[in-house]
Amino acid sequence: MAFFVAIVAVLYTLVFATGDHRAVPKLGIDLQGGTRVALTARTETGEPPSKESLNVSREIIDTRVNGTGVQGAEVVLDGSTIVITVPGENGEKAKDLGQTAQLRFRPVVGSVAAQAQPQPSTEPQPSVTGSAPPTPTSGAPTSGAPASGAPSSTVAPQGRPAPAPAQQPSSGAPAATTTAAPPATTSAATPPPADNPCTQYTALLADPKAETPALISAGKKCRQAPTLAPSKGADGAEVPADQALQQAALAALDCAPGKKDPLVGNDDKSLPLAACDQDGVEKFILGPSFLEGTEINNATSQLDPQGVGYVVSISFKATGSKVWSEYTASHVQERAAFVLDTQVVSAPTIQGAINGDTQITGGQGGFKQAEAMKLANVLKFGSLPLSFEPSEAETVSATLGIASLEAGLIAGAIGLALVFLYCLVYYRLLGLLTILSLVLSGVIVYAVLVLLGRWIGYSLDLPGVAGLIVAVGFTADSFVIFFERLKDEIREGRSFRSAVPRAWVRGRRTILSADAVLFLAAAVLYVLAVGQVRGFAFTLGISTVLDLIVVFLVTHPLVAVASKSKFLSSPKLSGLGSTQRSAVAQRAARVPAGTAAKEV
């Protein structure tokens, strides 16, 4: 009993000393309202997506829901639409859950400014830091590389000084800055050909009624076409095909913040790509992908140890780590772009081979915390096989759920009162112990639900409440098994005090077997079910485990204490008087019968 009191004390200390100090469980969408977002799948051809790809997408989004702590959310398929229902005020997160998250590593062929730039900033610039020092590459340029003995390999943005290494060469010469390859530039002197697909793409972008399949098709022809017929400049000179394509593709790009890119999730990794950076300040011509984000093993966000803001640390699988190390070693002083859903996250200049984990930083000032967490989550939980168009967040009212909860609680209270009344009439003192045990069980279950809401984001919904109410009956069954076994021992002629140990030894095996079967059923239901049914299974399983704690640490010790007290063990008070009288009558009936047999 003292151990149980200690458990309750620890639980409620955690309840009131951690989190927001409020002893209120986290509620599901049906009890507190929330937000619903519909993600409509789209394909390049406009054909309906396959059932398999939709199921895979639903599973990945469901995993992202759990990974970002948005528990209690429901992810269901409705035709070619995935509907996410999120409790509370996390509706805006639901839109991010449908992000395609296709991370690709592409070489930078050229770049231009997307808009007029202000004076050079003194903020920290993007960089990539490896877990091992850069490996010298035979024949590779060495200007700007970190000095021997530097603790980490660093990649700095093209055209800007690299971050200062830990140790400078003995000569004291500063690290040289790197310069870009001649960037692709747009010029009125080299207009694109009349049949340039970028003309159609630009027109479709300006048309609000343009259909998505047409936008994707035109976008790929414009921004990913590998060749284009040569054209004549204003001075009559021939413009190379690739340069004309780069000029037209860059001109067609709109890098304004918030501008939707129709190629998200639909770009071809084997073709070049014209893309913007996430800040909308630079345009890139990128080569085919040399490494896919599927080779990422894990991704986490953390404070930048060498600057301001946050960074995203990524570790590669064995194959990806080898490719990344070989590429960085053979492309020193060249830029590599980290492209997430056709947007360049970072495009640093390689100064040496990176062996091991890699850190991605954002633009000037690094990532913000929310940006780093979002990027880490979408990289860690995988890319979707489809691209999705999110709807506007729709507020869901909890009125119906609250009315159902009130009706359920009233029904549960009536049922619990009937259980209490039956226990008092039939078991008397033992009935009081049953009531006390049920109350203590409710106390510990409540604390556990509050803490689970804080630690793993568990949300209590209507099915979960139903699981708690059903668990009351199973908890009472454990007491009935013990008490009825106790009566059987008394009928065999034992006193209350001597019957308790034997009844407990025999009764607990039945209690353990029954609770094990119930817990197994709840676990199987939780694994196989989806949506709110899992809430029912979860609370039923938790209540079953806590039932054993109460029976072993509360009910049995209290019955043992009562059996040793003359006052509490009196037949009238204990409710065992009729059982004891029945046992005496049976013994008296057996004695005369035995005597008569001897006389015969």
Side-chain angles (χ1 to χ4, degrees), residues 108 110-115 183-184 186 247 249-256 274-277 280-286 335 344:
V108 176
S111 65
V112 295
Q115 54 188 3
T186 57
Q247 293 173 0
L250 291 173
L253 274 178
D254 186 352
C255 296
C276 302
D277 69 346
V281 298
E282 192 172 9
K283 296 181 180 181
F284 295 88
I285 294 295
L286 309 173
R335 297 181 77 181
V344 176

Side-chain angles (χ1 to χ4, degrees), residues 120-128 143-146 154-165 168 174-180 333 348-351:
S121 172
T122 59
E123 296 286 341
Q125 301 299 327
S127 64
V128 172
S143 64
T154 305
V155 182
Q158 185 179 24
R160 296 186 177 93
Q168 296 291 347
T177 61
T178 61
T179 57
Q333 298 301 319
T349 300
I350 300 171
Q351 291 186 327

Side-chain angles (χ1 to χ4, degrees), residues 287-301:
S289 171
F290 64 85
L291 180 62
E292 290 294 292
T294 53
E295 289 297 321
I296 292 177
N297 183 53
N298 192 22
T300 58
S301 61

Side-chain angles (χ1 to χ4, degrees), residues 336-588:
F338 304 155
V339 187
L340 178 67
D341 289 345
T342 72
Q343 283 191 330
V344 176
V345 177
S346 184
T349 300
I350 300 171
Q351 291 186 327
I354 298 178
N355 302 306
D357 293 352
T358 300
Q359 289 182 341
I360 305 177
T361 66
Q364 297 180 354
F367 288 117
K368 296 180 181 178
Q369 183 179 14
E371 294 172 340
M373 290 180 62
K374 174 182 173 182
L375 176 59
N377 282 328
V378 294
L379 297 181
K380 178 166 58 176
F381 295 119
S383 61
L384 300 174
L386 297 168
S387 59
F388 290 87
E389 186 74 22
S391 67
E392 292 299 323
E394 175 187 0
T395 302
V396 179
S397 173
T399 303
L400 182 60
I402 292 175
S404 301
L405 176 63
E406 292 176 352
L409 292 179
I410 292 174
I414 294 174
L416 192 60
L418 292 176
V419 171
F420 285 176
L421 180 61
Y422 175 81
C423 291
L424 288 174
V425 173
Y426 191 75
Y427 289 115
R428 298 187 187 179
L429 175 64
L430 297 180
L432 285 175
L433 296 181
T434 300
I435 295 173
L436 177 60
S437 298
L438 288 173
V439 171
L440 293 177
S441 177
V443 169
I444 193 172
V445 167
Y446 187 85
V448 168
L449 290 178
V450 173
L451 293 176
L452 288 178
R454 294 177 186 172
W455 294 343
I456 66 173
Y458 172 74
S459 299
L460 181 64
D461 51 16
L462 280 176
V465 173
L468 294 176
I469 295 175
V470 170
V472 171
F474 290 106
T475 304
D477 281 346
S478 299
F479 307 146
V480 171
I481 291 172
F482 179 29
F483 296 158
E484 290 302 316
R485 186 65 227 182
L486 181 62
K487 286 185 175 184
D488 289 340
E489 295 296 331
I490 292 175
R491 289 189 186 100
E492 293 179 3
R494 295 180 179 83
S495 65
F496 184 13
R497 182 170 183 172
S498 63
V500 169
R502 292 179 62 87
W504 173 244
V505 170
R506 296 183 178 183
R508 70 186 180 189
R509 288 182 295 185
T510 306
I511 294 173
L512 287 171
S513 299
D515 281 349
V517 171
L518 181 61
F519 181 80
L520 181 61
V524 171
L525 181 62
Y526 182 84
V527 172
L528 298 180
V530 295
Q532 294 183 334
V533 178
R534 302 184 75 185
F536 172 83
F538 185 84
T539 53
L540 185 60
I542 288 293
S543 300
T544 302
V545 174
L546 298 180
D547 166 40
L548 292 176
I549 294 177
V550 172
V551 172
F552 275 73
L553 300 183
V554 177
T555 309
H556 171 239
L558 289 179
V559 173
V561 169
S563 69
K564 298 176 183 178
S565 171
K566 291 184 178 180
F567 174 72
L568 296 177
S569 62
S570 65
K572 291 184 178 180
L573 186 60
S574 66
L576 299 174
S578 60
T579 304
Q580 292 174 340
R581 288 192 297 271
S582 174
V584 171
Q586 290 179 4
R587 287 197 301 271

